[in-house]
Amino acid sequence: MKEFSILSIWVFFNLVLLQSSSCAADSSVVNPCCYYPCQNSGVCVRFGTDRYECDCTRTGFSGDNCTAPEFWTRVRLLLKPSPSVVHFILTHFQWFWDLVNNSFLRDTIMRLVLTVRSDLIPSPPTYNTKYGYLNWESFYNISYYTRLLPPVPEDCPLPMGTKGKPVLPDIKVLAEKFFRRKKFRPDPQGTNLMFAFMAQHFTHQFFKTNHEVPGLGFTKALGHGVDASNIYGDDLMRQFHLRLHKDGKLKYQIVKGEMYPPTVSEVPVHMVYPEGFPPEQRLVIGQELFGILPGLTMYATIWLREHNRVCDILKAEHPTWDDEQLFQTTRLIIIGEIINIIIEEYVQQLSGYMLSMKFDPTLLFNTRFQYSNRIALEFCHLYHWHPLMPDSFLIDGEEIPYSQFIYNTSLLMHYGVEKLVDAFSRQPAGQIGGGHNSHEVVLKVAEMVIRESRAARVQPFNEYRKKFNLKPYTSFYEFTGEIEMARALEELYGDIDALELYMGVLLEKTRPSSIFGESMVEMGAPFSLKGLMGNPICSPVYWKPSTFGGETGFDIVKTATLKKLVCLNTKWCPYVDFHVPRNEEEAKPRKPSTEL
């Protein structure tokens, strides 16, 4: 008989303890998979009532619990640097990265970054929010979010498996104790509100949880990636109403000589506005929620102008094209621009890397890569970055509180796109990680995420650390680096192995001078890069000039920048960046200019 591993003995010993405890009257046997015995992505399969096996197929490990590395796995682990070492190298040694960024090595390292990150995300998807085992529904039914790890088995003795308290902490207590802002803490990486609003505008293409079906993790989004549905609507009927049906363009209104989204009187689609909100201020946008913040309506306006600008360029080159072809080709160009800006500027700012990020789909053409994507529930949860939001908004010398900012579309037309872009590019956003930095207005969002996570029985934070090849934390103090917070968490959760995922990624101690901690980067980056590069336009079949109407359209995609996006669609070019001004020269007020 094969010898038990140490972990197998530990599982067996704990089973005996549980069965002989004060609950001995209950003869039910604990599901052994509740102990998460299978390591290194091994799959736990229960047999009978008290036996399990770990499926270690293609994990690179073997043994009862997939803990014995095979020869080449052992070599790889020996040579592979830890995530902290890799991050340190990528964020230091400026002289070295200056050389890399101006040589063929940039492509080589960028390809490595893309493949290593993307390989961590299974494709096709494995589990979803209903099933904790592989089945056809998980693959075929795209109305579900997929998920990386199966749910905590329903028959576990404790909410998070076999460790922690019998009842999870009160959600409102968690929000007040660990998330509520004491004093605004700006992001030390220099991230600004232009970035914060882009994060919201961009992710609402694919993060659209269907709250009408609580607990099951359904999404209302028809697409699972960058499809620009936040601009064009997520169904054909909404798109039909938003389109001008002439020259491929979208509907618009002209106010003071400038283009803005139309109102509900011109486009009869559903938008979320408070009751009694003036009809002339009810702007219509692809995403029904984007009227809530002027920063979102600002981006919607910029992309509306960009779409119609590109339509004019395509029409001039293709006078025989009809409205439909102009619209559809322009949409592909817009999707390409979005991905380019997100990778080369947004991800660049987020990472803090000295390696210059590069959007070049051809880097993956000779590697094994699947051009498909499914949005995972865990990705949706960890991407709630509401600590970015400030205490108030500073625009053109005026301080605007939330009470005058939320659902106030008139601010967009009062100040104009240029002044909003300039203001948001200069105002610091908050640090995401470390806790105690969420404005009271957004605390309910954190509560909602935790509530959804519990309903979906998301596995503990440390189990996700293991999944992403990170060392699990052994104590709350190691996790937070703060005695007071560590004690409070231990009192509420009882065991570090019972800490919830969202609490983990938001409260983890931040890396030095970084926007958040190690886990958010190592977990979020694979989801993000796989979703971006897995887009159909990045595939060899699509990535060619004819897809985008010729070399002119292809060039618009390949040379897209945030500055071009703004300055080609405004009367004058404001300071525009995802980073607050780095020096006095950048901070100076700018004169109207068309230079890019």
Side-chain angles (χ1 to χ4, degrees):
M1 182 177 178
K2 186 184 291 187
E3 287 186 359
F4 279 154
S5 68
I6 293 175
L7 187 54
S8 296
I9 296 172
W10 176 82
V11 170
F12 178 76
F13 177 71
N14 278 278
L15 282 170
V16 172
L17 281 180
L18 276 171
Q19 290 176 355
S20 61
S21 67
S22 58
C23 299
D26 183 359
S27 60
S28 62
V29 179
V30 174
N31 179 351
C33 292
C34 292
Y35 294 94
Y36 312 116
C38 305
Q39 306 299 299
N40 301 302
S41 296
V43 178
C44 184
V45 182
R46 188 180 187 183
F47 289 88
T49 58
D50 59 354
R51 189 170 67 85
Y52 75 95
E53 288 183 9
C54 291
D55 185 349
C56 308
T57 306
R58 286 182 289 279
T59 63
F61 292 83
S62 59
D64 291 339
N65 298 296
C66 309
T67 54
E70 297 168 358
F71 174 75
W72 288 113
T73 302
R74 194 182 299 276
V75 172
R76 178 176 58 82
L77 292 175
L78 187 65
L79 298 175
K80 184 181 178 182
S82 69
S84 58
V85 170
V86 172
H87 183 80
F88 182 83
I89 293 171
L90 285 166
T91 54
H92 293 76
F93 312 112
Q94 181 70 62
W95 62 270
F96 171 75
W97 292 111
D98 286 342
L99 293 174
V100 168
N101 292 332
N102 291 287
S103 72
F104 71 94
L105 290 174
R106 181 190 180 196
D107 285 0
T108 303
I109 297 177
M110 190 67 208
R111 184 184 299 110
L112 185 64
V113 169
L114 292 173
T115 53
V116 169
R117 295 294 197 191
S118 297
D119 284 348
L120 290 169
I121 306 302
S123 185
T126 48
Y127 313 106
N128 68 13
T129 45
K130 182 175 182 180
Y131 300 100
Y133 50 88
L134 295 191
N135 66 90
W136 184 251
E137 191 78 1
S138 293
F139 163 75
Y140 181 76
N141 191 343
I142 63 171
S143 61
Y144 283 106
Y145 283 117
T146 185
R147 64 194 299 168
L148 201 61
L149 292 180
V152 176
E154 293 186 0
D155 55 355
C156 290
L158 297 173
M160 302 305 283
T162 59
K163 293 186 178 182
K165 299 290 183 74
V167 178
L168 289 171
D170 181 87
I171 293 175
K172 289 190 178 297
V173 169
L174 293 177
E176 289 291 331
K177 204 173 188 69
F178 302 107
F179 291 105
R180 179 180 283 276
R181 177 173 291 158
K182 296 179 178 179
K183 180 182 179 183
F184 177 73
R185 191 170 69 247
D187 169 38
Q189 286 181 212
T191 303
N192 59 23
L193 295 190
M194 197 67 181
F195 176 96
F197 287 123
M198 174 61 91
Q200 290 179 294
H201 190 273
F202 168 71
T203 59
H204 276 70
Q205 295 172 85
F206 39 80
F207 293 155
K208 296 188 69 175
T209 302
N210 190 340
H211 295 289
E212 296 172 4
V213 190
L216 294 181
F218 285 100
T219 174
K220 291 189 289 185
L222 299 181
H224 277 251
V226 182
D227 57 5
S229 58
N230 54 344
I231 300 170
Y232 304 108
D234 56 8
D235 60 62
L236 288 175
M237 186 56 67
R238 191 176 184 92
Q239 180 192 118
F240 178 86
H241 286 301
L242 288 168
R243 288 174 60 175
L244 187 61
H245 300 289
K246 180 181 179 182
D247 299 335
K249 294 185 176 182
L250 296 172
K251 289 179 180 176
Y252 59 91
Q253 63 169 314
I254 299 296
V255 179
K256 298 177 182 177
E258 295 191 274
M259 184 183 297
Y260 290 97
T263 63
V264 291
S265 62
E266 301 167 276
V267 182
V269 299
H270 176 66
M271 289 293 297
V272 177
Y273 285 106
E275 188 176 347
F277 198 76
E280 67 275 9
Q281 293 182 25
R282 292 176 180 249
L283 301 183
V284 173
I285 299 162
Q287 224 288 353
E288 62 186 17
L289 297 174
F290 279 2
I292 188 172
L293 296 172
L296 301 179
T297 50
M298 173 199 71
Y299 268 116
T301 301
I302 293 170
W303 283 115
L304 164 66
R305 294 177 183 180
E306 177 67 0
H307 175 94
N308 288 352
R309 185 186 76 85
V310 172
C311 282
D312 286 336
I313 293 172
L314 290 181
K315 182 175 174 60
E317 291 206 344
H318 305 282
T320 61
W321 282 11
D322 61 10
D323 169 71
E324 189 67 19
Q325 189 165 5
L326 287 169
F327 172 81
Q328 297 296 348
T329 304
T330 297
R331 181 172 184 167
L332 289 177
I333 291 173
I334 295 299
I335 290 171
E337 288 188 78
I338 292 171
I339 296 175
N340 193 344
I341 291 170
I342 292 298
I343 288 180
E344 294 200 356
E345 298 182 73
Y346 179 96
V347 174
Q348 183 79 62
Q349 169 60 32
L350 203 58
S351 69
Y353 292 168
M354 291 183 178
L355 167 69
S356 292
M357 304 295 285
K358 184 177 184 180
F359 173 54
D360 182 0
T362 64
L363 293 175
L364 297 177
F365 284 179
N366 294 320
T367 63
R368 180 178 60 85
F369 192 80
Q370 292 181 306
Y371 293 94
S372 62
N373 188 59
R374 288 284 295 279
I375 298 298
L377 183 72
E378 298 99 333
F379 187 36
C380 178
H381 284 178
L382 68 83
Y383 219 118
H384 284 77
W385 294 347
H386 291 75
L388 288 168
M389 290 291 98
D391 289 334
S392 60
F393 302 87
L394 308 175
I395 305 174
D396 198 27
E398 298 182 61
E399 182 174 1
I400 302 173
Y402 279 89
S403 60
Q404 297 174 29
F405 192 76
I406 295 176
Y407 286 118
N408 189 353
T409 57
S410 66
L411 289 176
L412 174 65
M413 296 175 188
H414 173 72
Y415 290 107
V417 170
E418 296 88 348
K419 286 186 177 181
L420 287 188
V421 168
D422 192 82
F424 296 150
S425 295
R426 296 174 186 276
Q427 185 170 355
Q431 187 178 35
I432 296 171
H436 301 307
N437 205 25
S438 293
H439 191 278
E440 61 181 358
V441 170
V442 297
L443 283 180
K444 289 184 178 180
V445 178
E447 295 175 14
M448 176 196 71
V449 176
I450 299 171
R451 192 174 295 110
E452 288 179 357
S453 176
R454 292 179 181 182
R457 301 183 66 83
V458 173
Q459 286 195 27
F461 173 60
N462 260 345
E463 294 306 310
Y464 283 95
R465 293 269 301 174
K466 297 176 189 176
K467 181 64 177 177
F468 285 95
N469 302 318
L470 299 170
K471 182 182 176 182
Y473 287 112
T474 57
S475 70
F476 284 105
Y477 179 73
E478 182 189 16
F479 163 66
T480 66
E482 292 183 18
I483 294 177
E484 184 179 341
M485 185 183 289
R487 285 175 177 169
L489 286 169
E490 186 162 19
E491 182 181 345
L492 290 169
Y493 282 97
D495 196 299
I496 186 65
D497 287 331
L499 184 66
E500 297 172 272
L501 174 63
Y502 187 66
M503 297 294 290
V505 292
L506 264 290
L507 299 184
E508 182 181 32
K509 62 178 180 286
T510 59
R511 281 170 162 164
S513 302
S514 293
I515 192 168
F516 36 47
E518 175 185 63
S519 299
M520 185 75 82
V521 176
E522 301 303 321
M523 295 179 189
F527 284 121
S528 180
L529 293 176
K530 174 63 173 71
L532 292 166
M533 299 306 296
N535 194 283
I537 73 159
C538 298
S539 68
V541 177
Y542 277 65
W543 189 253
K544 51 191 175 183
S546 57
T547 301
F548 308 99
E551 288 293 349
T552 300
F554 203 19
D555 189 62
I556 292 173
V557 171
K558 291 189 292 184
T559 63
T561 66
L562 181 65
K563 187 173 182 180
K564 276 189 176 182
L565 174 65
V566 170
C567 295
L568 289 175
N569 293 291
T570 50
K571 289 182 177 179
W572 54 277
C573 190
Y575 170 64
V576 52
D577 204 301
F578 287 139
H579 194 289
V580 295
R582 296 168 177 81
N583 50 56
E584 291 184 8
E585 185 61 31
E586 282 189 343
K588 289 180 181 177
R590 297 186 172 201
K591 295 180 179 179
S593 171
T594 58
E595 295 180 7
L596 298 182

